[in-house]
Amino acid sequence: MKKKDQVTAAEEQKEAVQVKGKKRRAREAQREIRWDRLDNTAHLFPVIAGESRRNVYRISVTLTELVDRELLQQALDMVLPKFDGFNLRLRQGVFWYYFEENGKPAPRVREESAFPCRYIRQNKNHSYMFRVTYYKYRINLEVFHVLTDGMGGINFLKELTYQYLRLAHPKLREKVGDSLNSDTSLNREDSFLKNYKHSSQKGYQTKRAYLLKGEKLPPGEFGVMHGYMKIPELKKVCHAYGVSINEYLVAVYIWSVYTECMHGMPSERPVRVAVPVNLRPYFNSITTKNFFVMVSAEFHPTKEIYTFEEVLKSVSESLRSQISRENLEKLFSYNVSNEKLLAARIVPLFLKNLAMRYVYTTSALANTATVTNIGNISVSEEYRPYVEMFHAFLAMSKGQHLKGTICSYGDTLVFSFSYDLTDTSVQRGFFRKIAADGIAVEIETNGVNYE
């Protein structure tokens, strides 16, 4: 091809792109573009998000058959338009961030080739705030927390999986059709605003906690360790201790920090674990926006040598004293009340960002770690033969280098550690204690530690 012809072809291609863009903008101008406010919790995430604090979580489903990329892309293309809560891009206004309808093609499904929970760059992801990847038998959904919490993520992943399985198995599709499942929620209510009561009482912790420190994994690496245990065995042990499964597992986490890092010695600072509480059951909500608050499980060793039972008692009492509808309401009402103040509403966004970063830093350093319980995940009967297991875990945040996530499917519970420290003594101590209590544990890792 001659140089003149090459130039002409390039100009024609550029003109075609411009025409295509004009047509898209014209279509958008002909209809009103949907927009939405961020919920109270979501306001924080765009302010603090970045390569070091990604605020991304992963929920994945493991199937009984290898995943087909093309079918998974088709499934995402079909499901995404039905979910207003995922079909969004983030915009920055003068006073607040806000959501705007995206409308672009769904992000590309890719085979996983990097470490999980990477920062989601919207400009490289069709402006979407989630990604879908796969690896062998596993479908991964990673979500920027500004969109929704774990319950909203599960809601979307299940429908994506259902649609994929219907495409992979035409007879299943003939049987159930392509409609959304009856228990899938599309509700976008701001349940914080609906349920708050004016409050001036601060609910979050600000006193510094004991923090885990040590050599970090090489930049970009991310450790994952799963521990599988049978729920009947776990229930038997918890019944003997007189505590719930959640209380027991949080206490074992704190016990492993106390024994492996503090070596049973007194400390000026407590081990404090942030425990997210799903508010939907307490306030009769089915929203797919964020709707959770943090409570804290705390143990402060002021003398030498505590027994596990003493640690468990401290954890159980601190959690039970906080998890009631009345107290949970107080925790989020303080934040919503501040958001509703006229003085706060008219402050420019860049000043709000400074204040929110300060609040985030003080509250983040007030916790040693976060342990979240996604709960039991169920799937509709027609799809059970194809679904083997679910997993979930969190990205790192300021001062927190070892997080725990609990979820279960069928009679199996998996406790997943995510971390960026080379030392895995806390993880080993955690599973040793569980095994010592008579619960069989099967361990699986992503291979960043070989000791």
PDB file of all heavy atoms in Angstrom, residues 165-180:
ATOM      1  N   LEU A 165     -24.798 -21.514  33.069  1.00  0.00           N
ATOM      2  CA  LEU A 165     -25.155 -22.935  33.058  1.00  0.00           C
ATOM      3  C   LEU A 165     -26.308 -23.214  32.093  1.00  0.00           C
ATOM      4  O   LEU A 165     -26.352 -24.267  31.449  1.00  0.00           O
ATOM      5  CB  LEU A 165     -25.520 -23.401  34.473  1.00  0.00           C
ATOM      6  CG  LEU A 165     -24.341 -23.469  35.455  1.00  0.00           C
ATOM      7  CD1 LEU A 165     -24.833 -23.730  36.874  1.00  0.00           C
ATOM      8  CD2 LEU A 165     -23.340 -24.549  35.028  1.00  0.00           C
ATOM      9  N   ARG A 166     -27.212 -22.261  31.937  1.00  0.00           N
ATOM     10  CA  ARG A 166     -28.303 -22.442  30.972  1.00  0.00           C
ATOM     11  C   ARG A 166     -27.774 -22.439  29.541  1.00  0.00           C
ATOM     12  O   ARG A 166     -28.262 -23.170  28.675  1.00  0.00           O
ATOM     13  CB  ARG A 166     -29.367 -21.361  31.161  1.00  0.00           C
ATOM     14  CG  ARG A 166     -30.145 -21.480  32.459  1.00  0.00           C
ATOM     15  CD  ARG A 166     -31.389 -20.613  32.459  1.00  0.00           C
ATOM     16  NE  ARG A 166     -31.107 -19.186  32.429  1.00  0.00           N
ATOM     17  CZ  ARG A 166     -31.059 -18.417  33.502  1.00  0.00           C
ATOM     18  NH1 ARG A 166     -31.245 -18.948  34.707  1.00  0.00           N
ATOM     19  NH2 ARG A 166     -30.826 -17.124  33.386  1.00  0.00           N
ATOM     20  N   LEU A 167     -26.762 -21.606  29.274  1.00  0.00           N
ATOM     21  CA  LEU A 167     -26.164 -21.594  27.944  1.00  0.00           C
ATOM     22  C   LEU A 167     -25.354 -22.861  27.688  1.00  0.00           C
ATOM     23  O   LEU A 167     -25.325 -23.379  26.568  1.00  0.00           O
ATOM     24  CB  LEU A 167     -25.261 -20.366  27.794  1.00  0.00           C
ATOM     25  CG  LEU A 167     -25.964 -19.005  27.775  1.00  0.00           C
ATOM     26  CD1 LEU A 167     -24.939 -17.879  27.797  1.00  0.00           C
ATOM     27  CD2 LEU A 167     -26.870 -18.871  26.556  1.00  0.00           C
ATOM     28  N   ALA A 168     -24.690 -23.349  28.729  1.00  0.00           N
ATOM     29  CA  ALA A 168     -23.868 -24.555  28.593  1.00  0.00           C
ATOM     30  C   ALA A 168     -24.709 -25.818  28.489  1.00  0.00           C
ATOM     31  O   ALA A 168     -24.248 -26.830  27.943  1.00  0.00           O
ATOM     32  CB  ALA A 168     -22.905 -24.662  29.773  1.00  0.00           C
ATOM     33  N   HIS A 169     -25.938 -25.755  29.010  1.00  0.00           N
ATOM     34  CA  HIS A 169     -26.817 -26.933  29.025  1.00  0.00           C
ATOM     35  C   HIS A 169     -28.200 -26.542  28.494  1.00  0.00           C
ATOM     36  O   HIS A 169     -29.081 -26.143  29.260  1.00  0.00           O
ATOM     37  CB  HIS A 169     -26.925 -27.492  30.448  1.00  0.00           C
ATOM     38  CG  HIS A 169     -25.605 -27.898  31.037  1.00  0.00           C
ATOM     39  ND1 HIS A 169     -25.014 -29.121  30.786  1.00  0.00           N
ATOM     40  CD2 HIS A 169     -24.740 -27.229  31.846  1.00  0.00           C
ATOM     41  CE1 HIS A 169     -23.859 -29.190  31.409  1.00  0.00           C
ATOM     42  NE2 HIS A 169     -23.672 -28.052  32.057  1.00  0.00           N
ATOM     43  N   PRO A 170     -28.383 -26.635  27.170  1.00  0.00           N
ATOM     44  CA  PRO A 170     -29.638 -26.204  26.550  1.00  0.00           C
ATOM     45  C   PRO A 170     -30.885 -26.850  27.151  1.00  0.00           C
ATOM     46  O   PRO A 170     -31.937 -26.198  27.225  1.00  0.00           O
ATOM     47  CB  PRO A 170     -29.456 -26.626  25.086  1.00  0.00           C
ATOM     48  CG  PRO A 170     -27.968 -26.605  24.874  1.00  0.00           C
ATOM     49  CD  PRO A 170     -27.390 -27.064  26.180  1.00  0.00           C
ATOM     50  N   LYS A 171     -30.794 -28.095  27.592  1.00  0.00           N
ATOM     51  CA  LYS A 171     -31.966 -28.736  28.194  1.00  0.00           C
ATOM     52  C   LYS A 171     -32.359 -28.043  29.496  1.00  0.00           C
ATOM     53  O   LYS A 171     -33.545 -27.926  29.821  1.00  0.00           O
ATOM     54  CB  LYS A 171     -31.687 -30.223  28.442  1.00  0.00           C
ATOM     55  CG  LYS A 171     -31.619 -31.051  27.167  1.00  0.00           C
ATOM     56  CD  LYS A 171     -31.471 -32.534  27.476  1.00  0.00           C
ATOM     57  CE  LYS A 171     -31.455 -33.348  26.180  1.00  0.00           C
ATOM     58  NZ  LYS A 171     -31.296 -34.806  26.453  1.00  0.00           N
ATOM     59  N   LEU A 172     -31.349 -27.585  30.248  1.00  0.00           N
ATOM     60  CA  LEU A 172     -31.624 -26.826  31.465  1.00  0.00           C
ATOM     61  C   LEU A 172     -32.297 -25.509  31.110  1.00  0.00           C
ATOM     62  O   LEU A 172     -33.246 -25.076  31.788  1.00  0.00           O
ATOM     63  CB  LEU A 172     -30.312 -26.580  32.212  1.00  0.00           C
ATOM     64  CG  LEU A 172     -30.378 -25.777  33.516  1.00  0.00           C
ATOM     65  CD1 LEU A 172     -31.250 -26.495  34.552  1.00  0.00           C
ATOM     66  CD2 LEU A 172     -28.977 -25.537  34.072  1.00  0.00           C
ATOM     67  N   ARG A 173     -31.829 -24.898  30.036  1.00  0.00           N
ATOM     68  CA  ARG A 173     -32.418 -23.620  29.596  1.00  0.00           C
ATOM     69  C   ARG A 173     -33.869 -23.812  29.168  1.00  0.00           C
ATOM     70  O   ARG A 173     -34.734 -22.977  29.458  1.00  0.00           O
ATOM     71  CB  ARG A 173     -31.593 -23.055  28.445  1.00  0.00           C
ATOM     72  CG  ARG A 173     -31.938 -21.620  28.065  1.00  0.00           C
ATOM     73  CD  ARG A 173     -31.010 -21.119  26.975  1.00  0.00           C
ATOM     74  NE  ARG A 173     -31.199 -19.705  26.706  1.00  0.00           N
ATOM     75  CZ  ARG A 173     -30.535 -19.036  25.777  1.00  0.00           C
ATOM     76  NH1 ARG A 173     -29.632 -19.660  25.037  1.00  0.00           N
ATOM     77  NH2 ARG A 173     -30.762 -17.743  25.591  1.00  0.00           N
ATOM     78  N   GLU A 174     -34.144 -24.920  28.473  1.00  0.00           N
ATOM     79  CA  GLU A 174     -35.518 -25.211  28.065  1.00  0.00           C
ATOM     80  C   GLU A 174     -36.422 -25.394  29.288  1.00  0.00           C
ATOM     81  O   GLU A 174     -37.591 -25.007  29.279  1.00  0.00           O
ATOM     82  CB  GLU A 174     -35.548 -26.479  27.211  1.00  0.00           C
ATOM     83  CG  GLU A 174     -34.927 -26.317  25.830  1.00  0.00           C
ATOM     84  CD  GLU A 174     -34.888 -27.626  25.063  1.00  0.00           C
ATOM     85  OE1 GLU A 174     -35.496 -28.624  25.561  1.00  0.00           O
ATOM     86  OE2 GLU A 174     -34.248 -27.678  23.999  1.00  0.00           O
ATOM     87  N   LYS A 175     -35.852 -25.928  30.343  1.00  0.00           N
ATOM     88  CA  LYS A 175     -36.639 -26.232  31.540  1.00  0.00           C
ATOM     89  C   LYS A 175     -36.957 -24.993  32.355  1.00  0.00           C
ATOM     90  O   LYS A 175     -38.085 -24.824  32.830  1.00  0.00           O
ATOM     91  CB  LYS A 175     -35.858 -27.236  32.408  1.00  0.00           C
ATOM     92  CG  LYS A 175     -36.578 -27.647  33.682  1.00  0.00           C
ATOM     93  CD  LYS A 175     -35.736 -28.658  34.460  1.00  0.00           C
ATOM     94  CE  LYS A 175     -36.428 -29.054  35.762  1.00  0.00           C
ATOM     95  NZ  LYS A 175     -35.608 -30.018  36.549  1.00  0.00           N
ATOM     96  N   VAL A 176     -35.974 -24.093  32.531  1.00  0.00           N
ATOM     97  CA  VAL A 176     -36.169 -22.968  33.456  1.00  0.00           C
ATOM     98  C   VAL A 176     -36.262 -21.612  32.760  1.00  0.00           C
ATOM     99  O   VAL A 176     -36.649 -20.618  33.390  1.00  0.00           O
ATOM    100  CB  VAL A 176     -35.037 -22.923  34.506  1.00  0.00           C
ATOM    101  CG1 VAL A 176     -35.031 -24.181  35.337  1.00  0.00           C
ATOM    102  CG2 VAL A 176     -33.676 -22.714  33.840  1.00  0.00           C
ATOM    103  N   GLY A 177     -35.888 -21.515  31.470  1.00  0.00           N
ATOM    104  CA  GLY A 177     -35.945 -20.236  30.772  1.00  0.00           C
ATOM    105  C   GLY A 177     -34.808 -19.308  31.173  1.00  0.00           C
ATOM    106  O   GLY A 177     -33.901 -19.689  31.914  1.00  0.00           O
ATOM    107  N   ASP A 178     -34.856 -18.056  30.686  1.00  0.00           N
ATOM    108  CA  ASP A 178     -33.781 -17.102  30.936  1.00  0.00           C
ATOM    109  C   ASP A 178     -34.167 -15.992  31.899  1.00  0.00           C
ATOM    110  O   ASP A 178     -33.455 -15.000  32.040  1.00  0.00           O
ATOM    111  CB  ASP A 178     -33.314 -16.462  29.618  1.00  0.00           C
ATOM    112  CG  ASP A 178     -32.396 -17.386  28.823  1.00  0.00           C
ATOM    113  OD1 ASP A 178     -31.683 -18.183  29.460  1.00  0.00           O
ATOM    114  OD2 ASP A 178     -32.408 -17.315  27.585  1.00  0.00           O
ATOM    115  N   SER A 179     -35.293 -16.125  32.572  1.00  0.00           N
ATOM    116  CA  SER A 179     -35.716 -15.094  33.518  1.00  0.00           C
ATOM    117  C   SER A 179     -34.860 -15.150  34.784  1.00  0.00           C
ATOM    118  O   SER A 179     -34.282 -16.191  35.118  1.00  0.00           O
ATOM    119  CB  SER A 179     -37.185 -15.278  33.893  1.00  0.00           C
ATOM    120  OG  SER A 179     -38.010 -15.165  32.760  1.00  0.00           O
ATOM    121  N   LEU A 180     -34.792 -14.032  35.504  1.00  0.00           N
ATOM    122  CA  LEU A 180     -34.075 -14.005  36.769  1.00  0.00           C
ATOM    123  C   LEU A 180     -34.770 -14.903  37.783  1.00  0.00           C
ATOM    124  O   LEU A 180     -35.989 -15.092  37.741  1.00  0.00           O
ATOM    125  CB  LEU A 180     -34.003 -12.582  37.315  1.00  0.00           C
ATOM    126  CG  LEU A 180     -33.212 -11.561  36.488  1.00  0.00           C
ATOM    127  CD1 LEU A 180     -33.244 -10.204  37.177  1.00  0.00           C
ATOM    128  CD2 LEU A 180     -31.777 -12.014  36.268  1.00  0.00           C
TER     129      LEU A 180
END
